[in-house]
Amino acid sequence: MTLEEKLNDLNNMILKGEILESMDKYYHPDCVVMEKNNVVAKGLKEAKDRESAMFEGVEAWLKSEIKSTAVGKNVTMTEWHYEYKHKDLGHKKFDQVAVQHWKDGKIISDRFYALY
């Protein structure tokens, strides 16, 4: 499977709501997840726990849309638009770019750049 095929599969799993499953399939056990300049998770378990906690307050997921993708040498990027209703934060809309660096066929680093 090429890197582009992996990215397309990963993104399709996310669009179907299979986020934790996509992490099991594509994230390296020693992955690092960053938002802007901050490390927010080290290792697959911590990354999955963080993702699960993030969705606890979501009352309704309204939209996940891919705006663009790019593939380079051991790096992939996806530009997303998201919308959801959160019990504490209300109606949220934001754009995000996810940049993944790959090692041994898995995501070793996932960094998110978002406009809220």
Side-chain angles (χ1 to χ4, degrees):
M1 185 179 264
T2 68
L3 196 54
E4 183 174 9
E5 290 169 333
K6 288 181 181 185
L7 176 64
N8 290 337
D9 187 44
L10 170 71
N11 287 344
N12 285 328
M13 291 178 79
I14 292 169
L15 288 169
K16 292 189 285 186
E18 299 171 352
I19 295 166
L20 297 178
E21 296 86 349
S22 74
M23 294 175 83
D24 283 331
K25 186 172 182 178
Y26 288 111
Y27 278 55
H28 193 282
D30 299 324
C31 67
V32 173
V33 178
M34 297 180 69
E35 281 194 19
K36 299 178 186 169
N37 293 322
N38 301 312
V39 173
V40 295
K42 290 183 181 178
L44 180 57
K45 182 186 179 330
E46 200 172 298
K48 287 177 65 178
D49 289 348
R50 179 184 171 277
E51 201 68 28
S52 293
M54 199 168 69
F55 283 97
E56 284 179 7
V58 173
E59 294 176 321
W61 198 264
L62 305 173
K63 185 185 271 187
S64 295
E65 182 180 13
I66 296 171
K67 298 291 193 175
S68 64
T69 60
V71 178
K73 185 175 179 178
N74 294 317
V75 64
T76 57
M77 298 174 208
T78 303
E79 178 185 14
W80 292 92
H81 173 75
Y82 294 117
E83 262 185 78
Y84 61 92
K85 288 185 182 175
H86 190 276
K87 68 179 183 178
D88 299 321
L89 305 173
H91 188 181
K92 303 298 286 179
K93 293 182 187 183
F94 69 99
D95 295 315
Q96 179 182 71
V97 176
V99 179
Q100 300 93 15
H101 291 270
W102 296 72
K103 176 183 175 186
D104 302 327
K106 302 276 186 171
I107 296 168
I108 192 70
S109 169
D110 201 359
R111 189 169 185 177
F112 300 101
Y113 301 87
L115 298 172
Y116 298 101

